Amino acid sequence: MTAQGLNSFVRGLDRTNVTIGTNAAPGLTCVCPNDRAFASYGALDMSTGNLTDGPASLLATLTRHGLTGSFYTTDFFDGQMIHSQNGYPIRVTNRNGSIFLNDAQIPTMEPSML
């Protein structure tokens, strides 16, 4: 994950001890924000900030990016409603062949990167 610029996400999982449950969860899909996305939300301070309390916490942010179930881009359809690991509603939109979960575009990857 760190090779794809997901260092902040990995550190967040470690800081909130989410890795234990995440590693054991069957069929969990992570839609990870990259390091640039984390940097744009500077309020998520991983060293001294709110790690686990309330909807603005790092833990809540991370679990909003975990989808219960195994998903591939071909599983999403326009108008579909899914929910994150913590129950956050997510609307799937197909805009000119690009998949969006709420307002976040899902990048397409070359098979060699998977």
Side-chain angles (χ1 to χ4, degrees):
M1 290 179 79
T2 57
Q4 284 83 29
L6 303 174
N7 296 300
S8 296
F9 192 82
V10 171
R11 280 194 310 272
L13 292 174
D14 185 52
R15 290 281 297 145
T16 56
N17 294 319
V18 173
T19 52
I20 295 166
T22 302
N23 287 339
L28 179 68
T29 301
C30 288
V31 184
C32 307
N34 63 24
D35 293 336
R36 287 188 319 266
F38 267 96
S40 70
Y41 289 95
L44 292 175
D45 182 349
M46 297 212 202
S47 60
T48 60
N50 181 5
L51 296 178
T52 60
D53 188 33
S57 71
L58 179 59
L59 177 61
T61 300
L62 295 172
T63 56
R64 271 195 301 272
H65 290 84
L67 307 178
T68 303
S70 296
F71 290 94
Y72 297 90
T73 54
T74 55
D75 295 327
F76 296 121
F77 59 87
D78 193 49
Q80 179 181 14
M81 286 299 296
I82 57 176
H83 290 87
S84 69
Q85 192 177 13
N86 69 358
Y88 185 77
I90 300 168
R91 176 176 288 287
V92 177
T93 309
N94 186 327
R95 298 181 199 154
N96 299 321
S98 295
I99 305 282
F100 290 80
L101 301 182
N102 290 338
D103 291 322
Q105 184 176 359
I106 303 300
T108 56
M109 301 177 93
E110 296 297 320
S112 63
M113 294 180 69
L114 299 176

XYZ file of all heavy atoms in Angstrom:
850
model
N 0.808 -1.194 0.000
C 0.000 0.000 0.000
C 0.854 1.262 0.000
O 0.451 2.269 -0.555
C -0.929 0.005 1.209
C -2.039 -1.041 1.142
S -3.115 -1.059 2.595
C -4.164 0.323 2.252
N 2.003 1.178 0.626
C 2.829 2.382 0.682
C 3.387 2.740 -0.688
O 3.619 3.910 -0.963
C 3.973 2.225 1.703
O 4.748 1.087 1.374
C 3.417 2.088 3.111
N 3.564 1.760 -1.575
C 4.081 2.043 -2.917
C 3.088 2.861 -3.748
O 3.474 3.547 -4.672
C 4.408 0.733 -3.635
N 1.803 2.815 -3.402
C 0.793 3.569 -4.134
C 0.492 4.914 -3.478
O -0.510 5.543 -3.782
C -0.514 2.762 -4.228
C -0.458 1.641 -5.240
C 0.194 0.391 -4.664
O 0.140 0.143 -3.478
N 0.843 -0.375 -5.499
N 1.346 5.376 -2.557
C 1.132 6.667 -1.910
C 0.054 6.631 -0.847
O -0.678 7.592 -0.648
N -0.054 5.502 -0.149
C -1.084 5.330 0.873
C -0.479 5.265 2.276
O -1.042 4.646 3.173
C -1.898 4.065 0.575
C -2.553 4.029 -0.806
C -3.197 2.679 -1.063
C -3.558 5.154 -0.962
N 0.662 5.920 2.466
C 1.356 5.889 3.759
C 0.483 6.417 4.895
O 0.454 5.844 5.984
C 2.646 6.714 3.693
C 3.629 6.122 2.721
O 4.052 4.994 2.885
N 3.966 6.877 1.693
N -0.241 7.513 4.660
C -1.071 8.106 5.710
C -2.172 7.156 6.128
O -2.481 7.028 7.316
C -1.684 9.423 5.230
O -0.665 10.362 4.968
N -2.769 6.470 5.174
C -3.835 5.518 5.491
C -3.285 4.384 6.343
O -3.871 4.010 7.357
C -4.469 4.990 4.210
C -5.749 4.244 4.438
C -6.938 4.934 4.589
C -5.772 2.866 4.497
C -8.133 4.261 4.802
C -6.956 2.184 4.707
C -8.138 2.878 4.855
N -2.140 3.846 5.955
C -1.512 2.747 6.695
C -1.156 3.202 8.115
O -1.420 2.487 9.084
C -0.269 2.216 5.943
C 0.522 1.246 6.793
C -0.684 1.571 4.629
N -0.573 4.405 8.250
C -0.246 4.925 9.594
C -1.509 5.116 10.422
O -1.526 4.837 11.620
C 0.520 6.241 9.488
C 1.999 6.061 9.192
C 2.802 7.337 9.432
N 2.247 8.515 8.800
C 2.509 8.920 7.551
N 3.328 8.233 6.802
N 1.961 10.014 7.064
N -2.575 5.586 9.792
C -3.836 5.770 10.502
C -4.398 4.460 11.019
O -4.882 4.377 12.151
N -4.341 3.417 10.196
C -4.797 2.095 10.641
C -4.002 1.629 11.845
O -4.557 1.108 12.817
C -4.669 1.068 9.504
C -5.582 1.232 8.301
C -5.205 0.222 7.219
C -7.040 1.082 8.688
N -2.703 1.835 11.791
C -1.829 1.428 12.891
C -2.119 2.239 14.157
O -2.243 1.677 15.245
C -0.365 1.585 12.473
C 0.577 1.063 13.529
O 0.403 -0.091 13.971
O 1.497 1.822 13.927
N -2.253 3.566 14.026
C -2.473 4.444 15.188
C -3.799 4.156 15.888
O -3.930 4.350 17.080
C -2.447 5.912 14.768
C -1.098 6.429 14.353
C -0.198 6.757 15.521
N -0.776 7.826 16.329
C -0.654 7.900 17.644
N 0.012 6.993 18.294
N -1.196 8.889 18.306
N -4.807 3.724 15.142
C -6.124 3.484 15.735
C -6.362 2.001 16.039
O -7.449 1.623 16.458
C -7.238 3.984 14.801
O -7.090 3.348 13.536
C -7.187 5.493 14.639
N -5.352 1.166 15.816
C -5.449 -0.282 16.055
C -6.554 -0.945 15.238
O -7.144 -1.921 15.672
C -5.637 -0.584 17.554
C -4.438 -0.199 18.360
O -3.302 -0.420 17.953
N -4.670 0.420 19.501
N -6.839 -0.426 14.069
C -7.868 -0.993 13.203
C -7.340 -2.214 12.455
O -8.107 -3.056 12.029
C -8.399 0.068 12.209
C -9.345 -0.519 11.188
C -9.088 1.171 12.965
N -6.039 -2.345 12.349
C -5.475 -3.432 11.541
C -5.870 -4.805 12.061
O -6.060 -5.727 11.275
C -3.945 -3.331 11.465
O -3.425 -3.229 12.789
C -3.518 -2.147 10.650
N -6.048 -4.953 13.344
C -6.399 -6.271 13.894
C -7.748 -6.718 13.338
O -7.884 -7.799 12.783
C -6.407 -6.229 15.429
C -4.991 -5.964 15.946
C -6.949 -7.536 16.007
C -4.920 -5.576 17.396
N -8.775 -5.906 13.457
C -10.097 -6.261 12.942
C -10.155 -6.277 11.433
O -10.845 -7.099 10.833
N -9.428 -5.364 10.812
C -9.436 -5.274 9.357
C -8.801 -6.509 8.737
O -9.314 -7.055 7.769
C -8.693 -4.004 8.897
O -9.333 -2.881 9.483
C -8.712 -3.866 7.400
N -7.702 -6.965 9.290
C -7.035 -8.145 8.746
C -7.879 -9.399 8.901
O -7.771 -10.320 8.113
C -5.673 -8.352 9.409
C -4.651 -7.341 8.950
O -4.796 -6.741 7.895
N -3.618 -7.145 9.738
N -8.733 -9.449 9.922
C -9.555 -10.630 10.173
C -10.905 -10.560 9.463
O -11.613 -11.555 9.401
C -9.773 -10.792 11.671
N -11.276 -9.413 8.932
C -12.603 -9.246 8.325
C -12.680 -9.959 6.986
O -11.863 -9.720 6.113
C -12.912 -7.759 8.149
N -13.682 -10.830 6.820
C -13.848 -11.477 5.514
C -14.500 -10.509 4.533
O -15.462 -9.812 4.877
C -14.780 -12.653 5.821
C -15.560 -12.216 7.014
C -14.643 -11.292 7.799
N -13.969 -10.431 3.350
C -14.580 -9.621 2.306
C -14.662 -8.147 2.611
O -15.724 -7.552 2.505
N -13.586 -7.534 2.988
C -13.564 -6.101 3.258
C -12.806 -5.412 2.134
O -11.701 -5.805 1.781
C -12.876 -5.816 4.593
C -12.754 -4.346 4.985
C -14.129 -3.759 5.276
C -11.871 -4.211 6.212
N -13.416 -4.395 1.542
C -12.787 -3.626 0.483
C -12.420 -2.258 1.030
O -13.273 -1.564 1.572
C -13.745 -3.456 -0.715
O -14.112 -4.757 -1.191
C -13.108 -2.645 -1.825
N -11.166 -1.882 0.922
C -10.723 -0.556 1.366
C -10.636 0.365 0.164
O -10.009 0.034 -0.834
C -9.356 -0.631 2.041
S -9.410 -1.398 3.651
N -11.283 1.508 0.295
C -11.198 2.559 -0.711
C -10.354 3.636 -0.048
O -10.858 4.484 0.676
C -12.604 3.082 -1.094
C -12.500 4.110 -2.201
C -13.508 1.937 -1.501
N -9.061 3.546 -0.254
C -8.105 4.340 0.510
C -7.836 5.707 -0.098
O -7.468 5.792 -1.265
C -6.771 3.607 0.590
S -6.885 1.928 1.191
N -7.957 6.758 0.718
C -7.499 8.065 0.247
C -5.976 8.069 0.198
O -5.319 7.475 1.052
C -8.028 9.044 1.296
C -8.403 8.215 2.472
C -8.552 6.801 2.033
N -5.419 8.722 -0.813
C -3.967 8.767 -0.916
C -3.398 9.846 0.012
O -4.131 10.572 0.684
C -3.512 8.956 -2.366
C -3.974 10.266 -2.961
O -4.246 11.240 -2.275
N -4.071 10.291 -4.283
N -2.085 9.926 0.057
C -1.417 10.874 0.956
C -1.805 12.322 0.665
O -1.944 13.121 1.585
C 0.104 10.708 0.870
C 0.570 9.364 1.430
O -0.150 8.780 2.265
O 1.654 8.907 1.032
N -2.002 12.665 -0.610
C -2.423 14.040 -0.953
C -3.797 14.355 -0.369
O -4.038 15.453 0.104
C -2.434 14.233 -2.466
C -1.056 14.335 -3.078
C -1.121 14.724 -4.555
N -2.183 14.072 -5.302
C -2.054 12.947 -6.005
N -0.893 12.350 -6.068
N -3.077 12.434 -6.649
N -4.702 13.374 -0.407
C -6.036 13.590 0.158
C -5.952 13.800 1.665
O -6.620 14.679 2.214
C -6.937 12.408 -0.173
N -5.128 13.022 2.347
C -4.959 13.210 3.790
C -4.356 14.577 4.083
O -4.766 15.252 5.018
C -4.072 12.113 4.401
C -4.853 10.954 4.941
C -5.045 9.819 4.189
C -5.401 11.003 6.214
C -5.765 8.743 4.688
C -6.125 9.936 6.726
C -6.308 8.802 5.960
N -3.402 15.004 3.276
C -2.757 16.301 3.498
C -3.748 17.446 3.343
O -3.646 18.461 4.036
C -1.582 16.481 2.539
N -4.736 17.280 2.468
C -5.715 18.345 2.269
C -6.660 18.485 3.467
O -7.311 19.504 3.631
C -6.514 18.123 0.986
O -7.380 17.027 1.114
N -6.714 17.455 4.302
C -7.503 17.506 5.539
C -6.547 17.528 6.716
O -6.499 16.601 7.511
C -8.450 16.301 5.630
C -9.572 16.389 4.648
C -9.490 15.759 3.415
C -10.703 17.137 4.934
C -10.524 15.863 2.497
C -11.738 17.247 4.028
C -11.636 16.608 2.811
O -12.645 16.717 1.903
N -5.794 18.583 6.847
C -4.779 18.707 7.880
C -5.286 18.529 9.296
O -4.524 18.287 10.215
N -6.612 18.615 9.513
C -7.160 18.467 10.854
C -7.014 17.047 11.380
O -7.137 16.814 12.570
C -8.635 18.868 10.861
N -6.740 16.088 10.505
C -6.568 14.705 10.955
C -5.134 14.496 11.398
O -4.336 13.879 10.719
C -6.931 13.724 9.832
C -8.387 13.676 9.436
C -8.572 12.762 8.233
C -9.244 13.202 10.589
N -4.800 15.028 12.545
C -3.450 14.913 13.091
C -3.279 13.525 13.685
O -3.943 13.167 14.647
C -3.244 15.978 14.170
C -1.848 15.958 14.748
O -1.101 14.998 14.478
O -1.516 16.893 15.473
N -2.385 12.752 13.111
C -2.236 11.367 13.536
C -1.439 11.194 14.819
O -1.382 10.116 15.350
C -1.605 10.562 12.418
C -2.478 10.529 11.226
S -2.322 9.033 10.351
C -2.905 9.552 8.773
N -0.812 12.234 15.299
C -0.011 12.058 16.505
C -0.721 12.556 17.752
O -0.654 11.943 18.798
C 1.343 12.755 16.360
O 1.136 14.138 16.143
N -1.417 13.671 17.674
C -2.044 14.224 18.871
C -3.525 14.486 18.704
O -4.193 14.855 19.643
C -1.372 15.561 19.254
O -1.528 16.469 18.163
C 0.083 15.374 19.576
N -4.052 14.302 17.507
C -5.452 14.631 17.245
C -6.413 13.610 17.817
O -6.044 12.664 18.507
N -7.659 13.808 17.512
C -8.731 12.945 17.968
C -8.657 11.631 17.198
O -9.031 11.558 16.035
C -10.065 13.655 17.741
C -11.232 12.830 18.200
O -11.064 11.764 18.771
N -12.426 13.325 17.952
N -8.204 10.575 17.846
C -8.018 9.301 17.158
C -9.283 8.456 17.091
O -9.563 7.837 16.076
C -6.901 8.496 17.824
C -5.505 9.100 17.758
C -4.519 8.210 18.491
C -5.066 9.298 16.330
N -10.056 8.394 18.178
C -11.139 7.411 18.216
C -12.492 7.931 18.668
O -13.462 7.187 18.659
C -10.756 6.243 19.146
O -10.526 6.749 20.463
C -9.534 5.510 18.650
N -12.637 9.191 19.041
C -13.881 9.666 19.636
C -14.705 10.512 18.671
O -14.302 11.604 18.294
C -13.577 10.471 20.900
C -14.833 10.838 21.674
O -15.783 10.047 21.650
O -14.846 11.916 22.284
N -15.859 9.992 18.274
C -16.805 10.783 17.501
C -16.652 10.686 16.000
O -15.711 10.090 15.481
N -17.594 11.303 15.274
C -17.622 11.183 13.815
C -16.484 11.898 13.099
O -16.215 11.618 11.935
C -18.978 11.794 13.430
C -19.343 12.661 14.580
C -18.725 12.044 15.801
N -15.803 12.828 13.744
C -14.682 13.535 13.109
C -13.344 12.887 13.443
O -12.296 13.385 13.053
C -14.678 15.001 13.544
N -13.368 11.786 14.154
C -12.116 11.146 14.577
C -11.429 10.451 13.400
O -12.042 10.162 12.368
C -12.392 10.123 15.677
O -13.075 8.998 15.143
N -10.161 10.169 13.591
C -9.401 9.419 12.594
C -10.017 8.042 12.385
O -10.165 7.583 11.253
C -7.938 9.304 13.022
C -7.014 8.529 12.094
C -6.984 9.148 10.700
C -5.617 8.462 12.680
N -10.430 7.387 13.455
C -11.046 6.063 13.339
C -12.305 6.114 12.477
O -12.493 5.287 11.584
C -11.381 5.508 14.732
C -12.085 4.154 14.760
C -11.222 3.079 14.117
C -12.451 3.776 16.185
N -13.172 7.095 12.716
C -14.401 7.221 11.915
C -14.069 7.493 10.452
O -14.705 6.949 9.544
C -15.282 8.331 12.474
N -13.061 8.305 10.209
C -12.642 8.606 8.842
C -12.151 7.342 8.143
O -12.512 7.076 7.006
C -11.549 9.685 8.836
O -12.083 10.865 9.436
C -11.067 9.989 7.438
N -11.343 6.554 8.831
C -10.816 5.327 8.233
C -11.921 4.312 7.955
O -11.952 3.709 6.884
C -9.755 4.710 9.143
C -8.489 5.535 9.341
C -7.611 4.898 10.413
C -7.728 5.689 8.044
N -12.831 4.130 8.912
C -13.876 3.120 8.713
C -14.921 3.554 7.695
O -15.651 2.716 7.172
C -14.534 2.713 10.048
O -15.051 3.863 10.705
C -13.544 1.986 10.943
N -14.996 4.841 7.387
C -15.856 5.287 6.279
C -15.282 4.827 4.941
O -15.984 4.812 3.935
C -15.980 6.818 6.264
C -17.109 7.348 7.101
C -17.422 8.792 6.781
N -16.319 9.707 6.964
C -16.013 10.324 8.103
N -16.717 10.110 9.185
N -14.994 11.144 8.162
N -14.009 4.474 4.924
C -13.359 4.052 3.685
C -13.250 2.532 3.561
O -12.614 2.022 2.653
C -11.979 4.707 3.566
C -12.085 6.171 3.316
N -12.244 7.081 4.327
C -12.091 6.885 2.170
C -12.336 8.295 3.827
N -12.249 8.198 2.513
N -13.863 1.808 4.476
C -13.919 0.355 4.400
C -15.319 -0.080 3.996
O -16.302 0.330 4.616
N -15.428 -0.855 2.944
C -16.725 -1.340 2.471
C -16.862 -2.803 2.861
O -15.955 -3.602 2.611
C -16.826 -1.215 0.949
C -16.519 0.152 0.346
C -16.624 0.081 -1.173
C -17.453 1.212 0.916
N -17.973 -3.140 3.488
C -18.205 -4.529 3.871
C -18.578 -5.308 2.621
O -19.592 -5.040 1.989
C -19.322 -4.615 4.923
O -18.944 -3.805 6.036
C -19.512 -6.035 5.401
N -17.731 -6.236 2.257
C -17.920 -7.030 1.053
C -16.753 -6.851 0.106
O -15.963 -5.922 0.231
N -16.636 -7.770 -0.829
C -15.580 -7.695 -1.841
C -16.159 -7.008 -3.075
O -17.136 -7.483 -3.655
C -15.101 -9.092 -2.216
O -14.516 -9.718 -1.106
N -15.566 -5.891 -3.452
C -16.049 -5.119 -4.592
C -14.940 -4.945 -5.619
O -13.793 -4.707 -5.273
C -16.503 -3.720 -4.159
C -17.760 -3.706 -3.345
C -17.703 -3.712 -1.970
C -19.005 -3.668 -3.966
C -18.858 -3.688 -1.205
C -20.164 -3.646 -3.220
C -20.093 -3.658 -1.834
N -15.332 -5.046 -6.868
C -14.487 -4.705 -7.997
C -15.208 -3.581 -8.743
O -16.423 -3.410 -8.583
C -14.267 -5.908 -8.918
C -13.547 -7.036 -8.220
C -14.257 -8.025 -7.554
C -12.159 -7.081 -8.209
C -13.592 -9.050 -6.888
C -11.489 -8.104 -7.552
C -12.204 -9.087 -6.895
O -11.545 -10.081 -6.241
N -14.513 -2.824 -9.538
C -15.171 -1.715 -10.226
C -16.349 -2.190 -11.076
O -17.323 -1.472 -11.240
C -14.179 -0.916 -11.099
O -13.512 -1.817 -11.983
C -13.169 -0.179 -10.240
N -16.289 -3.414 -11.568
C -17.388 -3.948 -12.376
C -18.628 -4.260 -11.535
O -19.699 -4.484 -12.087
C -16.944 -5.213 -13.128
O -16.429 -6.150 -12.175
C -15.871 -4.884 -14.160
N -18.505 -4.268 -10.206
C -19.646 -4.534 -9.321
C -20.486 -3.292 -9.059
O -21.606 -3.393 -8.555
C -19.167 -5.083 -7.968
C -18.498 -6.432 -8.098
O -18.908 -7.217 -8.975
O -17.568 -6.693 -7.319
N -19.958 -2.112 -9.362
C -20.669 -0.864 -9.082
C -21.543 -0.473 -10.262
O -21.140 -0.605 -11.408
C -19.677 0.273 -8.804
C -18.835 0.054 -7.575
C -17.460 0.017 -7.662
C -19.419 -0.093 -6.323
C -16.672 -0.157 -6.532
C -18.642 -0.276 -5.188
C -17.270 -0.316 -5.294
N -22.756 0.030 -9.965
C -23.618 0.528 -11.028
C -24.195 1.877 -10.625
O -24.325 2.187 -9.452
C -24.714 -0.480 -11.385
C -25.623 -0.850 -10.254
C -26.755 -0.105 -9.961
C -25.336 -1.954 -9.460
C -27.599 -0.453 -8.918
C -26.170 -2.302 -8.409
C -27.308 -1.550 -8.133
N -24.504 2.666 -11.615
C -24.976 4.027 -11.418
C -26.246 4.052 -10.555
O -27.188 3.303 -10.799
C -25.258 4.682 -12.774
C -25.441 6.177 -12.655
O -24.601 6.830 -12.020
O -26.441 6.690 -13.192
N -26.222 4.878 -9.516
C -27.365 5.021 -8.621
C -27.371 4.054 -7.458
O -28.218 4.156 -6.566
N -26.460 3.106 -7.450
C -26.379 2.121 -6.374
C -26.077 2.807 -5.040
O -25.306 3.753 -4.983
C -25.272 1.121 -6.718
C -25.017 0.035 -5.717
C -23.871 -0.878 -6.172
O -23.111 -0.551 -7.091
N -23.754 -2.022 -5.531
N -26.692 2.332 -3.970
C -26.382 2.807 -2.621
C -25.718 1.671 -1.864
O -26.255 0.561 -1.809
C -27.655 3.247 -1.880
C -28.230 4.568 -2.355
S -27.140 5.996 -2.173
C -26.941 6.109 -0.414
N -24.554 1.949 -1.314
C -23.845 0.981 -0.478
C -23.508 1.685 0.831
O -23.729 2.890 0.968
C -22.573 0.437 -1.175
C -21.632 1.588 -1.554
C -22.941 -0.398 -2.389
C -20.324 1.110 -2.164
N -23.001 0.940 1.782
C -22.641 1.533 3.080
C -21.227 1.114 3.460
O -20.780 0.021 3.156
C -23.630 1.100 4.157
C -24.968 1.714 3.971
N -25.936 1.142 3.169
C -25.483 2.865 4.437
C -26.998 1.917 3.167
N -26.761 2.971 3.916
N -20.565 2.037 4.136
C -19.215 1.762 4.606
C -19.278 0.872 5.840
O -20.355 0.574 6.367
C -18.490 3.066 4.941
O -19.069 3.647 6.098
N -18.123 0.502 6.310
C -17.963 -0.344 7.479
C -18.666 0.246 8.705
O -19.180 -0.477 9.536
C -16.461 -0.494 7.737
C -16.051 -1.530 8.699
C -14.531 -1.600 8.779
O -13.818 -0.728 8.305
N -14.038 -2.645 9.395
N -18.720 1.578 8.796
C -19.368 2.200 9.953
C -20.772 2.723 9.624
O -21.324 3.520 10.362
C -18.493 3.296 10.555
C -18.340 4.514 9.672
O -18.862 4.565 8.565
N -17.609 5.499 10.147
N -21.349 2.273 8.505
C -22.721 2.625 8.166
C -22.908 3.898 7.366
O -24.028 4.298 7.064
N -21.832 4.546 6.978
C -21.883 5.784 6.209
C -22.456 5.492 4.825
O -21.970 4.602 4.118
C -20.468 6.351 6.121
C -20.337 7.694 5.473
C -20.673 8.854 6.159
C -19.831 7.816 4.191
C -20.527 10.104 5.576
C -19.669 9.060 3.595
C -20.028 10.193 4.297
O -19.881 11.424 3.717
N -23.491 6.224 4.390
C -24.086 5.959 3.071
C -23.196 6.448 1.926
O -22.633 7.537 1.987
C -25.406 6.740 3.104
C -25.178 7.823 4.101
C -24.192 7.287 5.104
N -23.105 5.627 0.900
C -22.274 5.946 -0.261
C -23.096 5.717 -1.523
O -23.624 4.627 -1.737
C -21.004 5.071 -0.289
C -20.172 5.303 0.967
C -20.198 5.324 -1.555
C -19.066 4.304 1.171
N -23.195 6.752 -2.348
C -23.897 6.647 -3.632
C -22.870 6.439 -4.739
O -21.892 7.169 -4.854
C -24.709 7.892 -3.934
C -25.369 7.834 -5.318
C -26.250 9.000 -5.621
N -27.494 8.999 -4.872
C -28.524 8.180 -5.101
N -28.444 7.277 -6.043
N -29.619 8.276 -4.389
N -23.113 5.431 -5.556
C -22.265 5.140 -6.708
C -22.806 5.910 -7.900
O -24.003 5.917 -8.164
C -22.263 3.629 -7.015
C -21.430 3.332 -8.255
C -21.776 2.825 -5.825
N -21.900 6.577 -8.597
C -22.270 7.309 -9.804
C -21.303 6.936 -10.922
O -20.111 6.816 -10.692
C -22.189 8.837 -9.566
O -22.911 9.161 -8.396
C -22.761 9.610 -10.727
N -21.852 6.745 -12.110
C -21.025 6.507 -13.291
C -21.122 7.760 -14.149
O -22.190 8.072 -14.670
C -21.520 5.278 -14.051
C -20.617 4.907 -15.199
O -20.013 5.765 -15.837
N -20.522 3.622 -15.457
N -20.011 8.484 -14.250
C -19.962 9.709 -15.054
C -19.022 9.500 -16.234
O -17.814 9.445 -16.059
C -19.461 10.888 -14.222
C -20.342 11.227 -13.048
C -19.795 12.414 -12.280
N -20.368 12.455 -10.948
C -19.800 13.002 -9.899
N -18.622 13.586 -10.012
N -20.401 12.986 -8.727
N -19.605 9.349 -17.399
C -18.812 9.153 -18.628
C -17.807 8.017 -18.495
O -16.664 8.136 -18.923
C -18.099 10.451 -19.020
C -19.070 11.562 -19.301
O -20.116 11.335 -19.901
N -18.749 12.763 -18.853
N -18.234 6.921 -17.871
C -17.376 5.749 -17.738
C -16.479 5.748 -16.513
O -15.789 4.774 -16.264
N -16.478 6.827 -15.746
C -15.690 6.881 -14.514
C -16.599 6.607 -13.321
O -17.722 7.113 -13.259
C -15.037 8.254 -14.336
O -14.094 8.485 -15.353
N -16.112 5.812 -12.384
C -16.879 5.443 -11.198
C -16.559 6.415 -10.067
O -15.385 6.672 -9.771
C -16.534 4.017 -10.732
C -16.724 3.008 -11.856
C -17.308 3.638 -9.481
C -18.126 2.603 -12.133
N -17.601 6.925 -9.419
C -17.454 7.805 -8.262
C -18.201 7.198 -7.089
O -19.316 6.696 -7.249
C -18.031 9.196 -8.543
C -17.223 9.998 -9.517
C -17.337 9.780 -10.885
C -16.349 10.974 -9.067
C -16.585 10.521 -11.787
C -15.595 11.721 -9.969
C -15.721 11.492 -11.323
N -17.591 7.242 -5.913
C -18.257 6.891 -4.664
C -18.447 8.207 -3.935
O -17.475 8.825 -3.507
C -17.424 5.912 -3.842
C -17.098 4.579 -4.532
C -16.303 3.678 -3.601
C -18.348 3.878 -5.017
N -19.692 8.640 -3.818
C -20.029 10.015 -3.449
C -19.294 10.921 -4.430
O -19.523 10.805 -5.615
C -19.769 10.297 -1.977
C -20.766 9.553 -1.084
O -21.843 9.168 -1.516
N -20.409 9.348 0.160
N -18.396 11.761 -3.990
C -17.696 12.650 -4.925
C -16.270 12.209 -5.242
O -15.540 12.916 -5.928
C -17.665 14.074 -4.359
C -19.046 14.691 -4.360
O -19.806 14.460 -5.315
O -19.366 15.399 -3.398
N -15.862 11.043 -4.741
C -14.489 10.581 -4.949
C -14.424 9.627 -6.137
O -15.117 8.607 -6.164
C -13.971 9.880 -3.700
N -13.580 9.979 -7.102
C -13.415 9.124 -8.271
C -12.531 7.937 -7.911
O -11.503 8.078 -7.254
C -12.774 9.896 -9.422
C -12.675 9.078 -10.687
C -12.126 9.860 -11.864
O -11.827 11.048 -11.740
N -12.008 9.208 -12.992
N -12.949 6.774 -8.357
C -12.169 5.553 -8.159
C -11.194 5.450 -9.332
O -11.623 5.349 -10.488
C -13.068 4.302 -8.111
C -14.115 4.424 -7.012
C -12.243 3.037 -7.967
C -13.556 4.583 -5.635
N -9.903 5.496 -9.052
C -8.938 5.404 -10.162
C -8.921 3.997 -10.741
O -9.142 3.016 -10.031
C -7.593 5.738 -9.507
C -7.790 5.427 -8.066
C -9.251 5.620 -7.769
N -8.693 3.921 -12.026
C -8.519 2.619 -12.644
C -7.039 2.294 -12.596
O -6.190 3.165 -12.724
C -9.026 2.611 -14.089
O -8.361 3.643 -14.809
C -10.520 2.837 -14.144
N -6.755 1.035 -12.367
C -5.360 0.615 -12.233
C -5.045 -0.435 -13.284
O -5.901 -1.213 -13.671
C -5.113 0.029 -10.840
C -5.399 0.980 -9.706
S -5.154 0.187 -8.125
C -3.466 0.642 -7.821
N -3.818 -0.442 -13.686
C -3.352 -1.482 -14.563
C -3.354 -2.790 -13.787
O -3.068 -2.793 -12.586
C -1.926 -1.177 -15.057
C -1.835 0.061 -15.911
C -2.630 -0.063 -17.195
O -2.621 -1.144 -17.795
O -3.280 0.919 -17.576
N -3.660 -3.930 -14.437
C -3.671 -5.211 -13.714
C -2.376 -5.493 -12.967
O -2.392 -6.131 -11.925
C -3.904 -6.235 -14.823
C -4.610 -5.478 -15.889
C -4.061 -4.060 -15.808
N -1.245 -5.008 -13.444
C 0.027 -5.255 -12.777
C 0.117 -4.556 -11.420
O 0.954 -4.883 -10.602
C 1.197 -4.836 -13.655
O 1.127 -3.434 -13.888
N -0.748 -3.543 -11.192
C -0.701 -2.803 -9.930
C -1.590 -3.439 -8.870
O -1.530 -3.067 -7.703
C -1.145 -1.346 -10.145
C -0.208 -0.565 -11.019
S -0.770 1.116 -11.232
C -0.513 1.771 -9.578
N -2.439 -4.376 -9.227
C -3.375 -4.972 -8.277
C -2.733 -6.001 -7.401
O -1.789 -6.590 -7.665
C -4.569 -5.587 -9.020
C -5.370 -4.597 -9.836
C -6.458 -5.333 -10.602
C -6.013 -3.546 -8.958
